Amino acid sequence: MTTSRELRRSSSGMGDEMQPSSEGERKSLDLVQRTVVSLIVGGVIAKVAIILALYVVARGRYELPYDSVIGLWVMSGVIGLVGAASVLLLNRRRPYHPLVLLGLLPMAVSAYWLFG
């Protein structure tokens, strides 16, 4: 005898939601989803921070006042920190984990050319 749940599953057939059958499969699916979303979010935010740091180094020094250069340089660090913290939160870690310092990498690299 079939239940109503089995009937709904067999009749719909076109559902886009996966029904994990075991706990291991559920954990694996969760890990893959968190990894994909982390790569997307981290990649987009990292690109913004890197492009801002490159702009400050390449054109900002010559075309902008010094205080604007410093402001944009600090903004690249803040954006990087926010991106790193969001990736850590997506992976169920504390946002003040030491790995959040990776977000300061574009700021640190651009400081070499700005102040060196």
Side-chain angles (χ1 to χ4, degrees), residues 3-78:
T3 64
S4 61
R5 175 180 261 174
E6 290 171 346
L7 266 173
R8 279 184 286 179
R9 254 191 224 162
S10 65
S11 66
S12 67
M14 297 293 288
D16 60 350
E17 186 176 330
M18 181 185 166
Q19 299 293 330
S21 58
S22 68
E23 185 64 29
E25 189 176 336
R26 188 173 294 117
K27 286 182 182 180
S28 174
L29 180 64
D30 181 55
L31 176 66
V32 169
Q33 288 174 341
R34 283 188 287 127
T35 303
V36 169
V37 172
S38 295
L39 287 173
I40 291 171
V41 169
V44 168
I45 295 177
K47 281 182 185 176
V48 171
I50 290 169
I51 289 171
L52 186 59
L54 285 174
Y55 174 76
V56 169
V57 169
R59 301 197 61 191
R61 286 195 299 191
Y62 309 111
E63 298 175 4
L64 297 173
Y66 186 71
D67 57 343
S68 296
V69 170
I70 297 299
L72 290 173
W73 178 70
V74 169
M75 273 178 56
S76 71
V78 170

Side-chain angles (χ1 to χ4, degrees), residues 76-107:
S76 71
V78 170
I79 291 170
L81 284 175
V82 168
S86 64
V87 169
L88 288 171
L89 284 173
L90 283 170
N91 287 298
R92 299 180 184 136
R93 296 195 186 273
R94 301 179 312 263
Y96 49 87
H97 193 276
L99 285 173
V100 79
L101 295 176
L102 287 175
L104 292 176
L105 200 57
M107 183 181 183

